């Protein structure tokens, strides 16, 4: 749990068979290996397994190619973190059968506006789509009007 062990002390616990050892390394070491963070996210069963995604060294490049067609929804979600994902690649998970995947896609700034507007009507992810900063102002006003929020 030492937050600053020497760098040469990271490799051994990163490959440890014990999940708890790897999780503690991921939680407390500032330079935990990116692939360790990804592995914990994809294969962990502990409630803290999503926390590695908030670490700055969580991998992003290439995730759309690696996981865009994964069989598990939780493996498809990180594909949206890929900075190289095109608007077309972001649109595909916006049609995913898994709500959490569609929700993540609805928040993505690369999502085409036409698809974002369609997602506003999706009862499962419309609230998330309304939070996308690319939502056109007239649509924002229409949402506020429907909710009965008085104009500014």
């Amino acid at each position: 749990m030492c937050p600053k062990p020497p760098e040469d002390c990271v490799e051994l616990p990163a490959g440890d068979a014990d999940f708890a050892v790897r999780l503690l390394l991921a939680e407390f070491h500032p330079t935990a290996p990116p692939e360790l963070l990804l592995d914990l996210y994809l294969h962990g069963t502990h409630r803290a397994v999503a926390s590695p995604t908030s670490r700055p060294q969580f991998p992003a490049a290439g995730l759309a190619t690696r996981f865009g067609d994964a069989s598990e929804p939780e493996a498809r979600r990180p594909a949206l973190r890929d900075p190289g994902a095109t608007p077309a690649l972001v649109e595909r998970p916006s049609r995913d059968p898994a709500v959490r995947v569609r929700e993540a896609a609805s928040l993505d700034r690369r999502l085409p506006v036409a698809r974002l507007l369609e997602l506003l009507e999706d009862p499962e992810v419309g609230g998330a789509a309304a939070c996308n900063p690319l939502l056109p102002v007239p649509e924002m006003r229409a949402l506020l009007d429907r909710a009965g929020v008085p104009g500014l």
Side-chain angles (χ1 to χ4, degrees):
M1 292 185 64
C2 175
K4 295 187 180 191
E7 288 301 317
D8 60 348
C9 293
V10 174
E11 190 174 321
L12 183 62
D16 198 284
D18 188 331
F19 172 78
V21 170
R22 294 189 322 277
L23 181 61
L24 288 171
L25 178 69
E27 288 179 331
F28 292 101
H29 195 280
T31 60
E35 284 300 315
L36 168 66
L37 299 177
L38 181 61
D39 182 62
L40 288 171
Y41 171 78
L42 293 173
H43 303 110
T45 56
H46 187 272
R47 61 182 164 82
V49 296
S51 67
T53 62
S54 65
R55 301 292 303 273
Q57 69 270 31
F58 189 86
L63 291 181
T65 302
R66 285 174 69 184
F67 298 108
D69 294 320
S71 60
E72 293 297 317
E74 291 307 311
R76 292 191 300 272
R77 282 182 57 211
L80 291 162
R81 298 176 65 96
D82 188 336
T86 63
L89 285 172
V90 173
E91 185 171 352
R92 191 172 70 190
S94 78
R95 300 177 189 286
D96 198 277
V99 173
R100 289 180 57 124
V101 177
R102 286 196 323 276
E103 184 177 68
S106 74
L107 294 166
D108 196 295
R109 292 172 183 248
R110 297 166 293 185
L111 186 67
V113 173
R115 178 63 184 143
L116 175 60
L117 297 176
E118 291 173 9
L119 287 171
L120 286 174
E121 304 306 319
D122 181 331
E124 295 177 307
V125 301
C131 294
N132 189 313
L134 293 183
L135 188 64
V137 172
E139 293 301 323
M140 291 180 194
R141 288 193 175 117
L143 288 171
L144 293 172
D145 288 346
R146 278 189 275 171
V149 176
L152 299 175

